[in-house]
Amino acid sequence: EQDGAKVAFSGIVSTMLACKEPLASTESRFQGVITKVTSAATSDDKLTLFAGKAAVLEFVERATLEDVRWSVTEVGGRKVNTSGDVPYIQLSKAAISGFSGCNQIFGKFERSGATLRFLDLGMTKMACTEDGIIEIETGMMNALKKADRYAIKDGVLVISSGPSVLMKLNAAAN
């Protein structure tokens, strides 16, 4: 139940599966405190649950790189404005697919921690006549080829090479 910042959990049940450590003790601690929660507070990407004045549980939003359609908003420091379809990339199972505003993009990627590299990149070869599309397409491909790291903050994916921001993307609404 929730009333403003006041929160109460009741009727908590769980499956009877036997979990191995460390999950078994984590589950036990979670079940021990969830019914003691009296209030909640949010800040940025975090939800904190309190028992009285003591913070007992904290949940942090984890942004995910894969299986999200990332709409391109900036390439090489320039805002991306198109009158047609919005350029995007999508990463899934070590493969990249996307759209430059004119051509389809494809290839592979490798990720380890904040390191991100794109490999074997290619694209279809449609003639692009809309103003500015060639610049967006060229900028996207150059950014992907130079990329060596990424960060996600507040729903914005930033692809960089060293300290230089190459491209910014927003998680697209489904």
Side-chain angles (χ1 to χ4, degrees), residues 55-128:
V56 293
L57 290 169
E58 187 173 87
F59 300 90
V60 178
E61 179 182 352
R62 286 197 176 167
T64 179
L65 179 65
E66 294 186 44
D67 300 321
V68 172
R69 185 180 206 143
W70 293 102
S71 298
V72 179
T73 59
E74 188 178 302
V75 176
R78 297 179 68 195
K79 298 282 184 203
V80 171
N81 297 313
T82 62
S83 59
D85 294 325
V86 176
Y88 73 88
I89 63 170
Q90 187 161 347
L91 308 173
S92 183
K93 297 179 182 162
I96 178 177
S97 60
F99 178 68
S100 70
C102 178
N103 284 293
Q104 299 296 318
I105 298 170
F106 49 87
K108 299 176 184 176
F109 74 94
E110 292 178 344
R111 174 179 62 128
S112 177
T115 300
L116 179 64
R117 296 192 195 299
F118 296 95
L119 313 160
D120 302 327
L121 291 170
M123 67 175 17
T124 57
K125 297 185 184 244
M126 301 283 295
C128 307

